[in-house]
Amino acid sequence: MFKSYKPTWMVDAIYQITPEQLESHGIKAILTDLDNTLIAWDNPNGTGELFDWLRVMDQAKIPVVVVSNNKASRVARALEKFELDYVARAMKPFSLGIRLAQEKLNLPNDQIVMVGDQLMTDIKGANAAGVRSILVKPIVPSDAWNTKINRFFEKKVMSQLLKKNPEMDWKRGI
């Protein structure tokens, strides 16, 4: 029952994912959630660490595409300084937005990974689309009001996942 919420990997932060790690798993592109995965939901400026990570991915020719449930104007405004492609109104946990991003990249499922901070949307959406996933810890401990509902259920789902999958553990890379 909870299999559709199980991430492929669990990593402390998106910034710990390296081109070498991705290459070792045949991954050529990253899809990522926006809020609390790439940037803090309440502070869209990003950090030096984010800019450094994006530069490393760019130098390694690994495209990063944001897949967000937010409306296009919000995503465009948040990503303006990062110059990243995106899919807005992705409708995660459904696979639509992930599939649209995949079409933009023109890559098969096994060469793409979805990174996100929520089991209920990002990871379930990745699993529905048939792509591997990386669950990361939220950048900040607070959430927008609509995400707080997901976090309540997420705790229960994660508890069950950890019982059935004791190998699931937070790591510093994939």
Side-chain angles (χ1 to χ4, degrees):
M1 176 176 173
F2 294 106
K3 185 179 176 186
S4 64
Y5 297 99
K6 184 177 185 239
T8 310
W9 298 284
M10 293 171 34
V11 176
D12 290 329
I14 195 169
Y15 319 119
Q16 294 172 330
I17 302 165
T18 67
E20 296 78 20
Q21 293 167 7
L22 296 169
E23 185 180 323
S24 74
H25 292 283
I27 297 168
K28 296 186 177 179
I30 295 174
L31 307 181
T32 180
D33 179 47
L34 178 63
D35 292 323
N36 262 352
T37 299
L38 201 61
I39 59 172
W41 73 273
D42 59 350
N43 181 5
N45 295 324
T47 62
E49 193 173 26
L50 171 59
F51 283 98
D52 291 344
W53 182 79
L54 288 171
R55 187 173 46 257
V56 167
M57 291 300 147
D58 185 54
Q59 289 169 347
K61 307 241 183 294
I62 298 172
V64 175
V65 178
V66 172
V67 179
S68 175
N69 284 348
N70 284 298
K71 62 184 179 179
S73 60
R74 157 78 168 93
V75 178
R77 193 171 53 251
L79 294 178
E80 202 169 43
K81 63 185 103 5
F82 304 113
E83 298 179 12
L84 295 176
D85 198 0
Y86 65 88
V87 173
R89 295 277 190 219
M91 297 179 56
K92 297 174 294 182
F94 302 107
S95 62
L96 175 68
I98 293 169
R99 291 192 191 286
L100 289 172
Q102 179 186 21
E103 287 174 20
K104 286 181 179 218
L105 294 165
N106 196 29
L107 290 171
N109 286 358
D110 65 343
Q111 293 181 6
I112 296 171
V113 68
M114 175 70 199
V115 182
D117 68 304
Q118 291 188 65
L119 288 175
M120 308 305 281
T121 54
D122 306 315
I123 303 307
K124 187 162 187 190
N127 288 334
V131 301
R132 290 176 283 181
S133 60
I134 302 171
L135 179 66
V136 294
K137 293 177 181 176
I139 291 176
V140 294
S142 65
D143 285 301
W145 69 269
N146 54 335
T147 304
K148 289 179 183 181
I149 298 164
N150 281 349
R151 295 283 185 213
F152 172 79
F153 292 107
E154 187 173 86
K155 285 179 187 173
K156 295 179 181 311
V157 171
M158 183 59 94
S159 173
Q160 292 301 310
L161 281 172
L162 292 172
K163 280 182 191 174
K164 293 180 190 267
N165 304 281
E167 76 283 358
M168 284 178 56
D169 196 15
W170 294 103
K171 301 202 175 10
R172 295 190 54 78
I174 62 172

